[in-house]
Amino acid sequence: MAEIPVTALDPRHQKMIENARVALDRGNFDYALEVTTQVLKAAPGCVAVRRLQRAAQLKNAGPASRGGFMAKMSSGLSSAPFVFGGGKKDPAKLMEAAEVLLSKDPNNIPALKRLAEGAQGLGLLETVAFALDAVREIEPENRANLLALGEAWFTAGRMTEALAAADALLRLDPTNGEALSLVRKASVAQTVNKGGWDSAATYRDKLRDEAPTLAPSLAASVTTADALTKRQLAESLASVTREPANMNHYRNVAQIYRQLGDIESALEWIRKARQQPAGQADPNLEKQESELATAAVEKHARSAEAAAAASPHDTAAQAQVAAARGQLAAFKLAEAKRGVERYPNDYPARYALGMLLLEAGEVDAAIAQFQQAQKGSQVRVAALVGLGRSFKAKRLFDLAVSQFTSAKSELPKMDDLKKEVIYELGVCYELLGRPDAAIAEYKAVYSEDIGFRDVADKINAFFAR
């Protein structure tokens, strides 16, 4: 599916859109919405029509919709719309479901993210950016969204917009490594595009002819971010020399190395900090060391995956991927166990260990960790959900229902987590042979979010029977 301008629409649709613009100017929002919805069904890739529709939605909703419940909801995720994941989804259905929700509340952030996800699946790159930019208007300081927006504009080939998003993120977080990386690659792409270097046949000629004038601007755009990071690194290293007992300087050095993608050097500096008298008993440094050591193993696994992807028929490379993934899972589990043994009252750590044990198939051990993790207010609900899933894995569906019901009662608002809990509760009722109880739970989700997982299919199948 491709994105198209209004001029590429069917002439009848072009006339309808012209009338919709007039209707919007005159305050006839209902007509504008009806027309744009109709045209988008035929041409979902027309971003201009989608912008017109959103303008009508916002004016129709009025100022009361700003700052409302859905506007305040924040998914906290840049690439995934669900807390626990919902499997693969049909992109077109995701967009349709999002459009239904946005017709009721144009500031529904989860719906805008689903619109972006669906558009991504259909290859509608500017529509992805359109949806994420709408999120930016509602939550201008949502850093994850700003980064996702910048990457979306970059993928769509709109470098000026990508740089603007990166700049907005850097104003909030001047040392954000991903934003600095986006600035570098977008600056290079922008310079290359301005130079007309997109033709391979003329690349060498243009490089030779334009090098004297292009080199300074290209070097400046590429090295500005690098120079800033390197200057910060040099300053932090000098601070360590001046004050070797100050653990913050070691942390700063490690953080900068991590931003540069040098996980090994970051880990080395955290270990240096832990060798200092003030760092030996610092639990935060210990956790950082564990996180960085895990990140190093993850990096090795990603390298193995990249090598295998480049050689899909290389059985040795595929075996290395399996081995690397096994090593990563074992390392994570060992680190989690070590952390819980050292800090038995760290309930978030117990919850994380329970999740790893459940993933590894050690269900009884996972149950023991989730039961302990319930004592921590930060992870109580998540631990209840983990218990529910563990009992479900053991086919103890009545016990699973009890846990999911408790979790449901402790979640005050219908966000994605609560939808997931209610959905799981419905599944357990189905497995217990209680379809009426199951459909009651599915209806609760359906009434809020028709596009959540396969809840619409379950509702339709129930009434078809």
Side-chain angles (χ1 to χ4, degrees), residues 225-248:
D226 280 338
L228 173 63
T229 305
K230 288 176 180 177
R231 185 168 66 249
Q232 291 171 338
L233 178 59
E235 290 170 355
S236 296
L237 289 169
S239 297
V240 171
T241 303
R242 287 195 307 270
E243 300 178 289
N246 189 329
M247 296 299 99
N248 289 330

Side-chain angles (χ1 to χ4, degrees), residues 25-319:
D25 291 339
R26 293 177 177 175
N28 189 349
F29 306 134
D30 289 340
Y31 178 80
L33 289 169
E34 180 182 348
V35 168
T36 53
T37 299
Q38 184 178 342
V39 173
L40 283 172
K41 285 181 179 178
C46 189
V47 182
V49 174
R50 202 168 287 282
R51 290 198 183 98
L52 180 62
Q53 181 189 61
R54 179 158 182 79
Q57 288 173 338
L58 290 171
K59 288 187 177 181
N60 191 46
S65 69
R66 293 282 179 180
F69 170 73
M70 293 309 294
K72 290 178 181 177
M73 281 183 63
S74 176
S75 67
L77 302 172
S78 60
S79 60
F82 306 115
V83 174
F84 291 103
K88 292 184 178 179
K89 301 182 180 182
D90 180 84
K93 287 185 177 180
L94 265 179
M95 290 187 71
E96 290 172 9
E99 287 162 355
V100 169
L101 293 171
L102 290 169
S103 67
K104 300 174 183 176
D105 178 9
N107 293 315
N108 184 328
I109 291 176
L112 288 166
K113 286 181 176 289
R114 288 194 180 95
L115 179 64
E117 184 183 354
Q120 181 73 40
L122 294 175
L124 302 175
L125 303 179
E126 289 202 21
T127 304
V128 175
F130 160 84
L132 296 177
D133 194 46
V135 175
R136 179 196 59 77
E137 291 175 354
I138 301 165
E139 293 187 344
E141 295 188 3
N142 184 328
R143 300 182 187 189
N145 183 71
L146 283 172
L147 180 62
L149 174 60
E151 293 289 355
W153 280 127
F154 178 83
T155 305
R158 301 276 290 273
M159 300 308 149
T160 300
E161 289 84 352
L163 287 167
D167 182 62
L169 178 52
L170 287 170
R171 284 198 296 271
L172 297 170
D173 183 3
T175 63
N176 188 294
E178 291 174 299
L180 292 169
S181 175
L182 177 58
V183 167
R184 285 195 291 270
K185 64 184 183 182
S187 297
V188 172
Q190 186 179 56
T191 305
V192 169
N193 290 341
K194 284 182 179 177
W197 291 19
D198 54 336
S199 169
T202 61
Y203 173 84
R204 293 183 183 278
D205 291 337
K206 285 185 177 289
L207 180 62
R208 182 188 65 246
D209 297 340
E210 299 186 13
T213 57
L214 179 61
S217 61
L218 180 59
S221 63
V222 175
T223 61
T224 298
D226 280 338
L228 173 63
T229 305
K230 288 176 180 177
R231 185 168 66 249
Q232 291 171 338
L233 178 59
E235 290 170 355
S236 296
L237 289 169
S239 297
V240 171
T241 303
R242 287 195 307 270
E243 300 178 289
N246 189 329
M247 296 299 99
N248 289 330
H249 299 325
Y250 292 87
R251 289 190 180 93
N252 290 339
V253 172
Q255 181 186 8
I256 294 170
Y257 272 124
R258 189 165 190 174
Q259 289 171 359
L260 292 170
D262 190 346
I263 301 297
E264 292 77 10
S265 293
L267 178 58
E268 178 187 349
W269 276 90
I270 289 298
R271 285 176 172 164
K272 284 182 178 180
R274 294 204 63 211
Q275 291 170 4
Q276 305 302 314
Q280 291 174 3
D282 189 327
N284 291 324
L285 284 174
E286 185 177 3
K287 288 183 179 180
Q288 272 189 281
E289 181 182 7
S290 177
E291 289 171 2
L292 286 167
T294 303
V297 180
E298 287 175 340
K299 183 179 178 181
H300 172 68
R302 287 196 299 270
S303 297
E305 288 169 354
S311 305
H313 303 298
D314 186 339
T315 55
Q318 301 301 325

